[in-house]
Amino acid sequence: MSNPFYNRDVISVKDFSRDELLGLFKTTDLICELPTEDRLRLCRGRILASLFYEPSTRTRLSFEAAMMWTGGTVIGFADPQVSSAVKGEKLADTIRVVEGYADLIVLRHPLEGAARFAASVSTKPVINGGSGSEEHPTQAMLDLYTIYREAGGIDGLNIGVLGDLKYGRTVYSLLYGLANFRVVVYLISPPMLKIRPEALYELHGRIRVEELERVEDCIEALDVLYVTRIQKERFPDPREYEQVRGSYRITLNTLKKAKGRLLLMHPLPRVDEISPEVDSSPHAVYFKQAHYGKIVRAALLAMILNEDLPS
Ligand code: NCD
């Protein structure tokens, strides 16, 4: 099978075509079916460096689990305070050293552009595990896979994205990924957290986008509702955060008028934007979505590291 992900950086979801994304999803399904011995051969003898300069639970642990699940091993740090960054080492130097220890690098960093910069320095593939409020491409890949798997496809769906559309990086990557499919997107946020113009510019002419302030005004039309957390840590002024705090919350009542098959998604962590009573409703797929993170990332690692994959 010819593999377009081989030896490639994953910096923005914009760099991947519809066919490439669908190919990743097919490989994900295929890897899940492999006998254990064959799966463990995919990344055997390979080393992933996991460099996290910002807090993470799912992204780091699912990448690490994915590498081990496919037979590889992991080095890295989960907190820059235990790395030479505290001694003043520059990111470029860290990358130059780590590329000598590992076969590929996953980087999460608070600065926009950090992953692209690291990729320009590194001779080994770099995966963006979240770059400031800019992008989180592998989250979008697992989000799209969740829709593809749980709804049986992506084309033809009405997709609501609710919450902090200004600072939430998962939103940008998801929208750029959705632009490859025939969907209608409802962007739902308080006025202060509206989408940044760059995304509207990017989506213009590719998919239909509607902007709203209240989820109640479109809930009946939706096939997917993707909820996000207010990104408190990215607000330049804490008073701005206080003005929007708690301004939206999904409860069982919100979902009363929803289609029976509505998928309720969230990249997690959740704070208070989805009431825990919703967790046991058939709509809630956010924990499943997090579990899909491991298998999609395993497929991605296997594809980057192997020119030919079993088909
Ligand atoms: C997100 C992130 O880090 O951008 N989390 C994740 O990777 N699943 C979302 C968030 O922090 O709200």
Side-chain angles (χ1 to χ4, degrees):
M1 179 164 99
S2 87
N3 165 22
F5 287 76
Y6 178 61
N7 215 14
R8 195 155 159 196
D9 298 312
V10 180
I11 305 304
S12 165
V13 84
K14 287 188 243 176
D15 300 335
F16 296 88
S17 69
R18 173 188 170 104
D19 284 351
E20 288 171 347
L21 293 170
L22 291 172
L24 173 69
F25 304 158
K26 294 224 168 68
T27 304
T28 304
D29 291 339
L30 196 132
I31 284 180
C32 293
E33 298 297 317
L34 285 178
T36 309
E37 257 320 297
D38 292 346
R39 196 186 67 231
L40 289 172
R41 259 195 287 275
L42 293 170
C43 296
R44 183 170 290 162
R46 307 302 190 91
I47 300 172
L48 168 71
S50 146
L51 311 183
F52 278 69
Y53 290 80
E54 261 196 345
S56 170
T57 299
R58 275 148 292 273
T59 304
R60 185 175 66 82
L61 294 179
S62 66
F63 261 117
E64 297 187 2
M67 193 61 183
M68 294 179 208
W69 193 60
T70 49
T73 48
V74 182
I75 56 170
F77 51 80
D79 177 358
Q81 292 305 315
V82 299
S83 80
S84 285
V86 286
K87 300 180 187 169
E89 184 169 54
K90 306 269 187 297
L91 180 62
D93 287 359
T94 306
I95 297 293
R96 278 191 196 104
V97 170
V98 170
E99 68 171 359
Y101 302 155
D103 297 289
L104 83 173
I105 298 170
V106 178
L107 175 74
R108 170 169 285 193
H109 200 280
L111 290 182
E112 283 83 35
R116 195 169 293 284
F117 171 71
S120 74
V121 171
S122 175
T123 56
K124 301 283 172 62
V126 171
I127 301 177
N128 180 2
S131 48
S133 58
E134 178 192 37
E135 268 217 57
H136 192 347
T138 65
Q139 179 70 40
M141 289 169 179
L142 77 93
D143 294 340
L144 293 170
Y145 176 78
T146 303
I147 301 173
Y148 157 91
R149 183 151 165 178
E150 294 296 316
I154 302 174
D155 287 321
L157 300 181
N158 291 332
I159 301 189
V161 186
L162 166 67
D164 185 348
L165 310 184
K166 185 172 179 184
Y167 298 115
R169 57 191 170 199
T170 68
V171 169
Y172 289 81
S173 291
L174 176 63
L175 292 175
Y176 301 151
L178 282 172
N180 293 292
F181 298 89
R182 287 187 299 279
V183 293
V184 177
V185 171
Y186 295 81
L187 297 175
I188 314 148
S189 69
M192 273 175 62
L193 298 179
K194 276 172 79 151
I195 197 89
R196 303 191 300 261
E198 75 219 37
L200 293 177
Y201 177 80
E202 192 69 40
L203 301 175
H204 183 73
R206 300 185 70 192
I207 51 175
R208 203 174 106 206
V209 175
E210 309 242 356
E211 289 191 84
L212 292 87
E213 285 177 23
R214 288 164 26 94
V215 67
E216 290 77 9
D217 295 338
C218 66
I219 187 79
E220 292 167 70
L222 300 179
D223 301 295
V224 174
L225 176 57
Y226 185 96
V227 184
T228 65
R229 170 181 75 88
I230 299 185
Q231 310 281 299
K232 181 180 179 188
E233 69 279 20
R234 303 207 192 281
F235 281 68
D237 180 348
R239 283 169 304 184
E240 200 192 325
Y241 169 71
E242 286 306 323
Q243 284 175 40
V244 284
R245 185 179 157 172
S247 52
Y248 56 93
R249 182 173 168 88
I250 301 297
T251 63
L252 284 175
N253 202 35
T254 324
L255 298 172
K256 269 205 178 119
K257 289 189 182 155
K259 290 184 187 174
R261 296 191 46 160
L262 170 88
L263 301 178
L264 183 63
M265 298 174 59
H266 192 306
L268 303 177
R270 155 187 53 187
V271 183
D272 55 9
E273 56 282 348
I274 298 180
S275 162
E277 66 183 15
V278 175
D279 295 358
S280 52
S281 100
H283 299 295
V285 294
Y286 27 91
F287 290 111
K288 218 182 220 183
Q289 180 186 352
H291 294 156
Y292 289 152
K294 182 186 89 174
I295 59 173
V296 173
R297 288 177 170 126
L300 187 65
L301 294 172
M303 291 175 91
I304 293 173
L305 292 174
N306 296 280
E307 190 161 11
D308 297 309
L309 281 171
S311 54

